[in-house]
Amino acid sequence: MKKSLFLSLAFLLGFVRLASAQTLSPLGTWQNEEKKATFEIYKCGNKLCGKIVTLTVPNDPATGKPKTDSQNPDPKLRNRPRLGLVFMQGFEYDDANKWDDGKIYDPESGKTYSCYMKMINANTMEVKGYIGFSMIGKSQTWTRVK
């Protein structure tokens, strides 16, 4: 009797732990550390993507016009607006609240990096861009807006 009660309790605790881990989703709206922009993380097929939703400074100070993807290595894409720009693509769930194998594009430099997203808690996420190995790269902590 004690053994079956113990096994039932262990199973229930394991299920509750698994269920709570699955609730840590990056879907939603986020703000970066510098508070320069907000981003929406959304499903695109069976993967996750991200787009720029707002910019703190939406217009180019030199021209007064909306910011564009002016640093893009492809000259044909340099006139596309930054607002609405899909800059994160291809993220797949790995484990332990981590989405990996994605790419992140930095419109300020025109460079693209490998990237992962890892939920720290329900409202905080680590985003790390890197070249080659994830041990070397730059991390940011993003905060959920909604």
Side-chain angles (χ1 to χ4, degrees):
M1 173 75 174
K2 283 185 179 182
K3 187 175 183 177
S4 67
L5 180 62
F6 175 76
L7 288 173
S8 296
L9 184 59
F11 175 77
L12 181 61
L13 287 174
F15 180 77
V16 167
R17 188 174 290 160
L18 177 63
S20 68
Q22 291 176 340
T23 61
L24 295 179
S25 169
L27 297 176
T29 306
W30 297 86
Q31 186 172 55
N32 62 357
E33 287 178 359
E34 298 91 7
K35 298 183 178 176
K36 288 182 175 182
T38 58
F39 315 107
E40 180 186 356
I41 305 297
Y42 61 95
K43 288 185 179 182
C44 51
N46 61 350
K47 298 182 182 188
L48 298 183
C49 294
K51 67 181 174 182
I52 299 172
V53 178
T54 66
L55 293 168
T56 304
V57 181
N59 294 332
D60 185 327
T63 65
K65 295 180 180 179
K67 287 184 179 176
T68 62
D69 192 12
S70 60
Q71 300 303 310
N72 196 299
D74 183 347
K76 296 176 193 167
L77 299 176
R78 291 182 185 158
N79 289 322
R80 67 182 177 171
R82 277 200 201 172
L83 283 178
L85 180 70
V86 176
F87 74 109
M88 299 175 76
Q89 297 180 6
F91 291 85
E92 296 182 48
Y93 186 76
D94 188 9
D95 65 4
N97 295 308
K98 182 177 180 183
W99 285 258
D100 207 348
D101 300 325
K103 298 285 183 192
I104 188 165
Y105 170 70
D106 176 9
E108 291 187 357
S109 69
K111 295 184 179 181
T112 301
Y113 303 93
S114 296
C115 186
Y116 72 76
M117 301 181 289
K118 183 170 178 137
M119 296 297 296
I120 297 168
N121 59 48
N123 295 312
T124 311
M125 172 171 61
E126 174 191 14
V127 178
K128 185 167 190 176
Y130 59 92
I131 296 174
F133 300 100
S134 64
M135 295 295 205
I136 303 169
K138 182 180 177 186
S139 292
Q140 280 194 350
T141 301
W142 289 6
T143 305
R144 187 183 299 276
V145 177
K146 58 181 178 172

